[in-house]
Amino acid sequence: SRTGMNIETDTYQRLSEIENIVAVKEASGNISQIARIAQCCDLNIYSGNDDQIVPIMSLGGIGVISVLANILPRETHAICRYMLDGEFQRARQMQLKYLNFINALFCEVNPIPVKTAMNLMGMNVGPLRMPLCEMEEDTKAALAKEIEKFGLKRAK
């Protein structure tokens, strides 16, 4: 979704035959494709979408390359840890708890929302650089609402 290109399963299969290719960040959003990759390829699979950590790990994924972890590192780690430890209900509950927040972090082009969130939280990560631009007011307000919902806004 971010590159406009999808790597097909047969390509992953050929790539998995190359000795130094051992893992994939799967961000197609297509759970059926991810299942086929897990079925036919000898590759470690990392979720590339924070809203699919639990589903991908349920298919054998081993973790996530995460945007959410910039804001909620302990919680993101806990979701993965619960999945790896077989505590599926706890992982599922956390995945669903943070789903709206995750969606807010992906409402505009990455890294605009996550950097905006960090600034709103008082982390002072600085302004966006060109060609990035500030968030639209309505999506920024939705992001700020999620930050406040979880008590992440830091006092100045």
Side-chain angles (χ1 to χ4, degrees), residues 1 13 21 34 44 51 55 57 72-73 80 93 99 105 111 116 121 124 127 131 146:
S1 66
Q13 199 166 12
I21 297 179
I34 296 164
N44 290 314
D51 64 342
M57 291 186 75
L72 295 171
C80 294
Q93 287 171 342
L99 189 59
L105 288 172
T116 300
M121 292 168 56
N124 193 22
E146 289 299 315

Side-chain angles (χ1 to χ4, degrees), residues 3-5 24 28 31 65 74 85 92 107 111 124 130 139 142:
T3 65
M5 293 291 296
V24 58
S28 69
I31 294 296
I65 298 172
R74 287 182 183 93
D85 290 346
R92 177 185 162 279
C107 67
N124 193 22
M130 295 291 287
T139 53

